Amino acid sequence: MTALIGIDWGTTSFRAWRMGQGGEVLEEVGDGPGILAASALPGGFGQALRDRIGLWMDGTPVIASGMITSRNGWVETPYLPLPLDAASLARSLTLHDGIHFVTGAVSDPDGPAPDVMRGEETEIIGHLAGGGGDGLFVLPGTHSKWAWAEGGRLVAFRTVMTGEVFGALRDHTILGRLVQPGPGSGDAFRRGVEAGRQDGALLGRIFSARTLALMDRLPPDQIADYLSGLLIGDEVAHGLRDASGPVTIIGRGDLAARYQTAFAVLGISADVAPPGMARRGLWDIALKGGLT
Amino acid sequence: MTALIGIDWGTTSFRAWRMGQGGEVLEEVGDGPGILAASALPGGFGQALRDRIGLWMDGTPVIASGMITSRNGWVETPYLPLPLDAASLARSLTLHDGIHFVTGAVSDPDGPAPDVMRGEETEIIGHLAGGGGDGLFVLPGTHSKWAWAEGGRLVAFRTVMTGEVFGALRDHTILGRLVQPGPGSGDAFRRGVEAGRQDGALLGRIFSARTLALMDRLPPDQIADYLSGLLIGDEVAHGLRDASGPVTIIGRGDLAARYQTAFAVLGISADVAPPGMARRGLWDIALKGGLT
């Protein structure tokens, strides 16, 4: 018997779970349209939902998190200030078109560098609900999120645009001019991390990706891995200055492995969280909100 | 009577001077083809030269500096190691097709972050030859150069890709999504410099160009100036950590003014060098080399 339907709905991704009485997964859909694609459908978000999980929707409560609550989403909800936990997110659920939307979080809204997230807060809640302790959480991606939890609450976070800047540098600056595709080089990545962890202007240090190649000291099929390491190394070295407690990476595949390697180069053992943090967070927020 | 023809020949620019017995300018050409355009001509660099200054070339010595001595230039010349001065550059002139080419400089060739320049060394020599003292030189551009002179010699430098990265971020990342053109805002630029001088990962701090705009705290027509200030502020704050002695900006127009403003925000009074440093450097190197 279905107790809850959970949806993690991002800009370019859609994942949904049909969950049973204990939050266990009864069924899963992983390839629905992100909000960019869904909003372009004739029937919009509602149609996207019916197309993908219409058969599940028999009155079972539905909870959704992610960029779906942003300005370009189904309904724009106000950001929740820090600190926050599952209970405060549950109190802030927005019921719209029959769906309970989890809102995002804002950090330092009136300060010189406000920051926002939508979706990652639910993944972190999922980790905390699963018995994960406090500490530092890193969620790699186009825009990485660094988040700190204390006393079971999310107390601080910041966004680092590493993934998107890497793409822009590789595809739209002189640094990509000599790049050739390759099988992937862990050595080049680690060498980049060593360059990235150094002091000095980042916009200066990245130039070594060109000069080393010009001087035949970096093979063309290793430039991209070196540059990736350099940017992630800079990110991790800066982030660790504020670190205390255990470090947990919430992410998957190659990107999570790259961050784990970068932490290792800097002498830190970081765990990669098991998959399912978003679903677990949705379940916990729904429980706290009395939806199930 | 013409004593020397000097050429500053860059990737996208070509400037030439016909100089008299005392190095004074008798005639000037400022709009010739850069090496990218010149190399595509049927007659190549020789044709570009004849087209622009053929009437000057009556046996008068010709000296040229800049990217024209790079791999994609007229002749590739080896980089000169540091420290260097006008005399060592004069000893390293390469005579090719009747032209005396000034070679570029390399910093830390065997270290983890080698760096190179072609053309800027001649501008710095020009400043030193004109009676300018030692200190820090900043040459803003697509790739800024920071250079240090001691005892009349160029002793260190590094490249910072600020200009090119600014363009890539504005045109190819989410930071440019909300940008609207505007009349230019000195306040937004200075606000960016304040954000740029702070500690923390640069790839995190740039995200404020988006969040401030999302929160209606940065008008769309000020985002670009804010981001420009943020990148230049980061560059200047890092560069000043190694600074001692006077700071001289070798550059022109709006970009030189932006750097001067950024230094002022950080409490440093930087001079902008008078125009003509490249020509002056070419003259001094030619003198030391016995060309005139």
Side-chain angles (χ1 to χ4, degrees):
Chain A
M1 167 151 174
T2 310
L4 182 72
I5 295 168
I7 306 170
D8 175 19
W9 206 336
T11 302
T12 59
S13 66
F14 171 103
R15 294 184 299 161
W17 302 270
R18 190 162 69 81
M19 291 176 253
Q21 302 289 346
E24 74 278 14
V25 177
L26 303 177
E27 204 171 347
E28 179 170 356
V29 161
D31 60 350
I35 67 167
L36 287 181
S39 65
L41 293 174
F45 298 109
Q47 183 190 326
L49 212 57
R50 287 188 299 274
D51 287 351
R52 301 306 304 172
I53 59 169
L55 290 176
W56 298 357
M57 298 175 66
D58 54 1
T60 304
V62 182
I63 186 169
S65 65
M67 290 295 284
I68 191 66
T69 62
S70 68
R71 198 164 298 180
N72 301 317
W74 198 332
V75 58
E76 184 175 6
T77 60
Y79 293 107
L80 203 60
L82 302 178
L84 61 76
D85 57 15
S88 57
L89 283 168
R91 281 193 300 273
S92 305
L93 284 169
T94 297
L95 181 61
H96 178 84
D97 284 349
I99 296 168
H100 300 273
F101 288 97
V102 180
T103 196
V106 61
S107 162
D108 195 26
D110 303 314
D115 210 331
V116 292
M117 59 166 54
R118 288 194 191 268
E120 294 90 350
E121 74 295 326
T122 301
E123 296 183 77
I124 294 162
I125 294 300
H127 193 271
L128 296 172
D134 293 347
L136 167 62
F137 296 87
V138 181
L139 296 86
T142 307
H143 295 175
S144 298
K145 302 288 182 184
W146 287 64
W148 287 262
E150 280 175 25
R153 301 190 304 174
L154 174 61
V155 296
F157 70 86
R158 75 174 65 115
T159 302
V160 192
M161 293 179 59
T162 311
E164 189 175 15
V165 172
F166 170 73
L169 294 179
R170 182 195 53 197
D171 299 339
H172 299 289
T173 74
I174 199 172
L175 298 183
R177 215 68 67 76
L178 300 172
V179 166
Q180 287 176 9
S185 166
D187 284 347
F189 178 79
R190 279 186 290 273
R191 186 176 170 194
V193 173
E194 287 291 355
R197 71 185 291 189
Q198 306 299 322
D199 281 334
L202 177 65
L203 302 184
R205 283 175 289 138
I206 56 176
F207 195 58
S208 61
R210 177 161 178 83
T211 54
L212 288 169
L214 277 179
M215 294 177 181
D216 298 322
R217 291 174 50 199
L218 180 65
D221 62 357
Q222 294 186 9
I223 299 173
D225 281 321
Y226 173 81
L227 182 61
S228 165
L230 203 159
L231 297 183
I232 293 174
D234 181 85
E235 176 187 356
V236 170
H238 277 101
L240 281 178
R241 293 182 192 171
D242 304 323
S244 62
V247 178
T248 304
I249 298 166
I250 302 181
R252 285 177 292 183
D254 174 64
L255 199 54
R258 281 177 188 259
Y259 276 77
Q260 196 171 34
T261 298
F263 276 106
V265 170
L266 274 81
I268 302 286
S269 171
D271 287 327
V272 176
M277 290 301 111
R279 182 196 54 75
R280 198 165 208 163
L282 289 167
W283 176 259
D284 196 47
I285 295 166
L287 270 188
K288 294 285 196 301
L291 300 188
T292 185
Chain B
M1 165 149 178
T2 309
L4 183 71
I5 295 168
I7 307 171
D8 175 19
W9 205 338
T11 302
T12 59
S13 66
F14 172 103
R15 295 185 298 161
W17 303 270
R18 191 163 69 81
M19 293 176 252
Q21 302 289 347
E24 74 279 13
V25 176
L26 303 176
E27 203 171 349
E28 180 170 354
V29 162
D31 60 351
I35 67 167
L36 286 180
S39 64
L41 294 173
F45 298 108
Q47 183 191 327
L49 212 58
R50 286 189 299 275
D51 286 352
R52 300 306 303 172
I53 59 169
L55 291 176
W56 297 358
M57 298 175 66
D58 54 1
T60 305
V62 181
I63 186 169
S65 66
M67 290 295 283
I68 191 67
T69 62
S70 68
R71 199 164 297 180
N72 302 315
W74 197 332
V75 59
E76 184 175 6
T77 60
Y79 293 107
L80 203 61
L82 302 177
L84 61 75
D85 58 14
S88 58
L89 284 168
R91 282 194 299 274
S92 304
L93 285 169
T94 296
L95 182 61
H96 178 82
D97 284 350
I99 297 168
H100 301 272
F101 288 96
V102 180
T103 195
V106 61
S107 161
D108 195 24
D110 303 314
D115 210 332
V116 293
M117 59 167 51
R118 288 193 190 269
E120 294 90 351
E121 73 296 325
T122 300
E123 295 183 77
I124 295 162
I125 294 300
H127 192 271
L128 297 172
D134 294 347
L136 167 62
F137 296 88
V138 181
L139 296 85
T142 307
H143 294 176
S144 298
K145 301 288 182 183
W146 287 64
W148 287 261
E150 280 176 24
R153 301 191 303 175
L154 174 61
V155 297
F157 69 86
R158 75 173 68 114
T159 302
V160 192
M161 293 179 59
T162 311
E164 189 175 16
V165 172
F166 170 73
L169 294 178
R170 183 195 53 197
D171 298 340
H172 300 288
T173 75
I174 198 171
L175 299 183
R177 215 68 68 76
L178 300 172
V179 165
Q180 287 176 11
S185 166
D187 285 346
F189 178 79
R190 279 185 290 272
R191 186 176 170 193
V193 172
E194 287 290 355
R197 70 185 291 191
Q198 305 300 321
D199 280 334
L202 177 65
L203 302 184
R205 283 175 289 137
I206 55 175
F207 195 57
S208 61
R210 177 161 178 81
T211 54
L212 289 170
L214 277 180
M215 296 177 180
D216 298 323
R217 292 173 51 200
L218 180 65
D221 63 355
Q222 294 186 10
I223 299 172
D225 282 322
Y226 174 81
L227 182 60
S228 166
L230 204 159
L231 297 183
I232 292 174
D234 181 84
E235 175 187 356
V236 169
H238 276 102
L240 281 178
R241 293 182 192 171
D242 304 323
S244 61
V247 178
T248 304
I249 298 166
I250 302 181
R252 285 177 292 183
D254 173 64
L255 199 54
R258 282 177 188 259
Y259 277 76
Q260 196 172 33
T261 298
F263 276 106
V265 170
L266 274 82
I268 302 286
S269 171
D271 287 327
V272 176
M277 290 301 111
R279 181 195 55 72
R280 198 166 207 162
L282 289 166
W283 175 259
D284 196 46
I285 295 166
L287 272 186
K288 294 285 196 301
L291 300 188
T292 184

